[in-house]
Amino acid sequence: MHIIESGNVAAATGVKLSRAQVIAAYPITPQTPLTEKLSEFVESQELDAQYIPVESEHSAMAVCIAASTAGARAFTATSANGLLYMNEQLHWAVGARLPVVMCVANRGIGAPWTVWNDQQDSMSQRDVGWIQLYANDHQQIIDSVIKAFRLAQSVSIPVMVCYDGYLLSHTYMPFELPGQEQVDAFLPSFTPEHFLNPDEPGNFNTVTLPDTRAGVDGTVEPGYIEIRHNLHEDLRGALEVYGDIDAEYEKGCGRGGTPFIEQYRCDDAECVAVAIGSLSYQLRDVIDILREEGLRVGVMSVQMYRPFPDGAIVEALAGRKSVIVFEKALSYGNQGPLYADIKAALYSRGDRPPIQNYILGLGGREIKTSQLLDALKESCSAIEAFDDTPRWIGLKL
Amino acid sequence: MAHRDFCKMISRSKPGPGDGGKTGSWRVLRPILHTEKCIPVKAGKKACFNCWLYCPDCVVTKTIPPTIDLEYCKGCGICAEECPADAIDMVAEDTFSTEEK
Amino acid sequence: MAEKTTIVNLTEEEFVHPGNRACSGCGLSIVYRMGLKALGKNTILVVPPSCLTVLQGLYPVASTRLPCVNVTFASTGAAASGVRGAMKALNKNDVNVVAWAGDGGTGDIGIQALSGACERGEEIIYICYDNEAYMNTGVQRSGTTPQGVLTTTTPIHGKLQTKKDVPAIIAAHGIDYVATASAAYPVDFYDKVKKATTITGPKYIHVLTPCPPGWGFETRYTIKVGKLAVETGLFDLYEIDKGEFRLTGASKKLLGKERKPVSEYFKTQGRFKSLNGDIVDTVQRQVDAKWQAYALESA
């Protein structure tokens, strides 16, 4: 069944279909319609869940952490400063290995205050250990939310599904609504291996020593570094799991097949543009125009950013004549984070392409297709001018 | 599907005594109960048990007479202070020979 | 009518293991032991960073025989709400969900989350053990540190400000049960925790826990010092039961009787050694006024 709805409602519907059991809600632009829709679902009893209107985002993730430790399927959503306010809790959820799912409606971070879209909020959290999925359109939002719950519980790592604030959260698009039966078959309810249980008492996440230490039965248990190493290994292992999950989802509904990257006209492209989110679809218009002019160009979006799908990215980009990375985020004092990651992945390849970084759209600065056109055209013709310094698009200096 | 076993390590502790080691080694003073003064002993039935009630480390048994687990007793002296019959003395730990420890 | 709790009939079942890392003579240890007896096995605990984290033990050994989730410092009230949410979602509604936090984790960094939980009417018991400073990190001043007290962050002049009245703040949320208690009166505390398990909505119990190293007294005097706080009328044992205030136990017995002077309490602890005469007089006057008001109320 097709419906026409906003990105936020697509996300909320995905949460409903996934039968989230505990929802923590704190409002922040541009996520608010998502939490509003969820409250409607709960109050109308379309969704049987505990809806907890917390008093802050830090508390929102606290609720999710505790509920998940107690064995319930937990969800929250936020943006920008809300995400940053719960930063400590993001680290906690990951280290505690909890299958929490969160939606982030990407928005620029203060100071100065901005409510408009860029991707600095979630990108700044890339080191925390949360799995990060990025949606390019409303269909991908709802499908990614459902897959996120499945992935989180399969690998015991929390997952954030990110989508552009306003550009996706508030615009209306048609998309296919997955059926509840299909989702139930894909996402069975589950009981975690460890949870708060009076019949089997345990103390979760207390102070853990630097070194290994024997437990009450004499078994030597790991220290902090082993636990974190296990997390990292499991994150890398999650790449294969997500590939399988995406394939299974595609088998059920016919949508999917691009778990890590999504390519458009890249097969014979000499120059590949890379972007995350709705920008990658805007770039398709540019690709089409340049193709008409005879340029062999394509665009690739990154769907899963953490764990970093270096295999898929290297396979897609090695040997190209040039790669241009457009980013709505910056690792201040250095370069765009995606650009740096791609460069690092290609570093050891003899056929690594020249790569140029562009920064744009911060604080919601409008990105004109003409600007993208000029940048790509210029880049494709002046590869020898590439350097490590990010170029900025749209500055009015 | 996936071949790995996921989440094989988390920080989840199991209940047991002695997280701080044999905390009896913290003692500078040792409680000595003089049973002839002890109220439940004299009454021949359950009574008083202040020492059991106030012990921060649950090393006093609610028996007639109460006993103190010296492996874990930290020697705080609350039992001695709160005994209404002055039946408990706190004695310097180093007056006990190694066998008695 | 339920049998009156006595030391003799109190359960012998222990929910805490000995040999834990709590200081010798720790007031919290007494209170924690008693509180868990009142809560029983069907309980999930929520604990932020605090002395209790240390008492509960370092991975992989747990000194507590109940399931517990450690949470970040500011989030106790919210985490307890999350556990309760899960219990409701999973139809495990007979489980006690109980937060145990220190004074800093309750009245300072934790107050937002606790306020939210109270306003939402969450089905939780929140026990604040008040040792009147950030003891776990080495005796720094907190909102509930009394005026004049020497701490490591008020090392010369003592704390300039007065003690934050956290129970009053929580009572202002209009929850059905707010109580104060003391480690020196464990049976009174036990009864209050037991009572809390029978009331719906949020329940808040604020229990004074004397701290030998932090307050500066010999370990054997934990109970004596705790009793003096009550006998001088400085710290009162009370309940606010559906808005109705009443003194309990040793504080109730103090009505109409002569109280020990507050100076007797101050001289038992090294943390008060810089207290100037003006503060002592002011405090005595405040205590006298408070008890006069109690007397008028009960008349």
Side-chain angles (χ1 to χ4, degrees), chain A residues 200 202-203 205 208 213 234, chain B residues 2 4 6-7 11-13 19:
Chain A
E200 247 187 79
N203 190 3
N205 293 301
T208 301
R213 185 181 179 224
D234 281 357
Chain B
R4 260 181 90 80
F6 285 87
C7 196
S11 174
R12 178 176 174 268
S13 307
D19 170 63

Side-chain angles (χ1 to χ4, degrees), chain B residues 14 20 52 55 62 74 76 81, chain C residues 7 10 19 22 33 219-220:
Chain B
K14 298 201 187 100
W52 169 85
C55 175
K62 203 177 186 183
K74 293 172 184 167
C76 68
E81 182 68 26
Chain C
I7 303 174
L10 259 176
R33 215 186 125 210
T219 58
R220 63 184 289 143

Side-chain angles (χ1 to χ4, degrees), chain C residues 179-213:
Chain C
T180 58
S182 163
Y185 302 95
V187 175
D188 174 76
F189 175 68
Y190 174 95
D191 282 342
K192 284 164 174 163
V193 176
K194 204 72 179 165
K195 183 167 178 177
T197 63
T198 65
I199 299 173
T200 52
K203 283 80 61 177
Y204 179 82
I205 301 174
H206 192 104
V207 54
L208 189 69
T209 49
C211 166

Side-chain angles (χ1 to χ4, degrees), chain C residues 153-166:
Chain C
T153 45
T154 56
I156 299 168
H157 302 298
K159 187 183 174 196
L160 301 173
Q161 303 85 2
T162 55
K163 184 183 174 76
K164 190 190 286 194
D165 191 351
V166 178

